[in-house]
Amino acid sequence: MQHFPDAKAVARKLAPDEPVILNRPHAAARAARFFVEKFPGKSLYAVKANPSPDLLRVLWDNGVTHYDVASIAEVRLVRATLPQAVLCFMHPIKAPGAIREAYRRHGVKTFSLDSVEELEKIVEACRDPETGEPATDLRLCIRLRVSSEYSELSLASKFGCDLTEAPMILREARQHCDWLGVCFHVGSQAMTPFAYVQALERVRIAIGEASVVIDMIDVGGGFPSVYPGMEPPPLEDYFQIIHQNFYNLPIAYNAELWCEPGRALCAEYSSLLVRVEKRRGDELYINDGAYGALYDAAHVAWKFPVRALEDDLIKPDMDFAFYGPTCDDADYMAGPFALPEDIQAGDYVEIGMLGAYGAAMKTDFNGFGATQRVIVEDEPMASLYDGSRKRPSSAENVVSLR
Ligand SMILES: *Cc1c(COP(=O)(O)O)cnc(C)c1O
């Protein structure tokens, strides 16, 4: 991949007709080291947030050894990219063939589930094909439904067993494995650590009623990044509260604590260079959109930081909305995005914080999928890890750049 100092240099040098993804390996490396050094347990990277092999290698090189995968394609991708990585198949509804291939061919032992049907499916799929003997090395993780009320994006309605069924599923699962965990997901971009307190309280009730030994608690993803209008408390506050509430659970003395950050590990990894193709009043027609890296900007009105890259723009900012390049009216990002009043067709704009659920969402719809990727060396447009967000209570909120 080509290297440039920053987005402006890319625009000057390449004058690209198509959007360019600008990757910052140093930012992903810093986020990885932050979790590895400060989370009081093991941090699994949730691959769906951004499955780029280049990113996977950066995370691995900076100490992330475990990966949360949700499909057989993610299992194959991570196994091919990182042969030594520990893969955990954390989608609670899997195809039997996917379980079999993951277990037999890729060494996956850890599976999540939220029903007795899925438990039976896993046990069947992992039987020895010759002898019919059940697997003895399964590590099972029961997904509990928890509230998403403190998160920007809900994950509460689709997966997870209720407190009424959890004790029974935990007892059943315990019959089939020597290592049993409980996991949940509080929803993405959880804006307060209290989201995890509530969830861990539900875990306490479930395992209390089940009276089984629990070897692992997985608090899932949901750790926030920073976006315009969404400034979360420091991640140390999350880690401290999670640790405290984990310690108070009735679990095995040597029980492990896991988390599965997606967004927090990769949001700062990428930004996007786009060009304004047309201006109509306060609407800018740009060359990426709802079917590209701006899926969340269009579909859930997520705000991303923007900056204009031309030196000759002198007027103060005004609010713009964006149209993407496809012929679909839904290819519209309301924003508002603040850019200089004199911006016009032909000007380049950088849109920040698209490393999570941005770069990963691009499609080829309507022929607008082509995207170049380059490396840039400047800082992301916002960071949770560069020391700029210090609070008196968390003066340690810095991880050194190597
Ligand atoms: C999506 C997902 C994650 C990552 O969530 P973030 O909000 O990006 O941290 C973690 N675990 C599971 C099971 C997921 O589905």
Side-chain angles (χ1 to χ4, degrees):
M1 248 189 278
Q2 279 180 281
H3 284 242
F4 296 88
D6 55 21
K8 206 179 253 193
V10 180
R12 296 289 177 281
K13 188 90 191 214
L14 303 181
D17 275 337
E18 277 154 353
V20 181
I21 291 184
L22 313 171
N23 287 331
R24 291 175 175 80
H26 69 280
R30 187 167 58 191
R33 285 201 300 281
F34 187 93
F35 269 85
V36 168
E37 288 168 17
K38 295 180 191 261
F39 182 75
K42 204 180 289 304
S43 301
L44 285 69
Y45 173 54
V47 172
K48 80 167 184 285
N50 187 334
S52 145
D54 294 317
L55 172 63
L56 294 175
R57 279 186 282 265
V58 170
L59 298 176
W60 173 264
D61 287 344
N62 287 277
V64 177
T65 55
H66 286 50
Y67 293 78
D68 159 8
V69 285
S71 61
I72 193 63
E74 285 184 358
V75 171
R76 292 176 192 149
L77 171 77
V78 183
R79 181 51 78 229
T81 310
L82 307 173
Q84 314 279 316
V86 178
L87 307 187
C88 303
F89 208 149
M90 303 306 269
H91 192 306
I93 305 170
K94 296 166 285 299
I99 300 169
R100 199 172 303 120
E101 181 183 331
Y103 179 74
R104 303 219 74 83
R105 197 172 317 158
H106 304 290
V108 178
K109 310 279 184 232
T110 307
F111 296 90
S112 84
L113 59 123
D114 62 3
S115 67
V116 171
E117 291 84 344
E118 187 74 9
L119 173 62
E120 287 164 359
K121 201 198 287 175
I122 294 169
V123 170
E124 280 314 307
C126 297
R127 267 182 207 287
D128 187 305
E130 252 108 71
T131 66
E133 287 295 310
T136 53
D137 54 357
L138 289 177
R139 296 160 69 97
L140 300 177
C141 195
I142 310 306
R143 170 88 172 250
L144 200 61
R145 192 204 318 270
V146 301
S147 164
S148 269
E149 66 181 300
Y150 297 106
S151 303
E152 296 292 326
L153 289 173
S154 173
L155 277 88
S157 52
K158 193 167 179 182
F159 299 138
C161 55
D162 283 322
L163 278 180
T164 50
E165 12 168 45
M168 180 269 293
I169 299 173
L170 281 165
R171 283 194 294 263
E172 282 288 318
R174 187 81 255 186
Q175 313 291 313
H176 298 279
C177 64
D178 285 337
W179 189 94
L180 180 64
V182 179
C183 60
F184 57 79
H185 197 302
V186 298
S188 205
Q189 186 77 4
M191 291 301 289
T192 157
F194 189 66
Y196 296 87
V197 177
Q198 255 205 354
L200 286 165
E201 210 34 55
R202 284 175 81 83
V203 170
R204 164 196 301 288
I205 296 168
I207 59 188
E209 286 184 18
S211 343
V212 292
V213 177
I214 297 295
D215 305 289
M216 188 276 283
I217 302 289
D218 176 354
V219 300
F223 298 94
S225 185
V226 51
Y227 303 91
M230 287 188 263
E231 300 257 337
L235 287 175
E236 280 91 341
D237 292 4
Y238 291 71
F239 295 175
Q240 196 208 327
I241 285 180
I242 288 169
H243 194 214
Q244 201 177 327
N245 285 270
F246 165 74
Y247 249 99
N248 292 329
L249 291 175
I251 47 181
Y253 74 96
N254 59 349
E256 296 174 51
L257 174 63
W258 289 13
C259 68
E260 303 169 349
R263 179 185 303 283
L265 283 177
C266 62
E268 299 178 19
Y269 177 58
S270 309
S271 61
L272 182 73
L273 178 66
V274 297
R275 188 168 66 188
V276 179
E277 303 294 9
K278 172 193 162 125
R279 173 168 176 180
R280 185 175 77 180
D282 59 0
E283 296 163 327
L284 301 179
Y285 293 66
I286 61 174
N287 58 357
D288 199 85
Y291 300 92
L294 298 173
Y295 183 97
D296 279 345
H299 295 280
V300 291
W302 205 272
K303 307 267 199 313
F304 294 96
V306 294
R307 74 178 152 220
L309 300 173
E310 315 301 326
D311 293 327
D312 59 358
L313 298 177
I314 45 166
K315 299 218 175 143
D317 284 352
M318 61 173 267
D319 284 345
F320 289 94
F322 292 160
Y323 274 112
T326 70
C327 303
D328 184 351
D329 266 4
D331 195 356
Y332 174 74
M333 284 68 59
F337 302 99
L339 287 164
E341 208 185 308
D342 46 347
I343 194 164
Q344 54 182 324
D347 291 348
Y348 286 93
V349 172
E350 182 180 16
I351 307 175
M353 311 302 285
L354 283 165
Y357 309 111
M361 307 297 276
K362 284 186 80 62
T363 74
D364 285 331
F365 177 53
N366 222 175
F368 291 103
T371 315
Q372 219 180 326
R373 284 159 204 265
V374 301
I375 289 177
V376 291
E377 279 145 16
D378 64 340
E379 280 296 310
M381 286 165 78
S383 180
L384 284 183
Y385 310 108
D386 65 356
S388 61
R389 301 177 49 75
K390 256 185 235 172
R391 257 196 194 174
S393 67
S394 46
E396 302 297 299
N397 192 11
V398 187
V399 168
S400 59
L401 275 174
R402 261 206 306 236

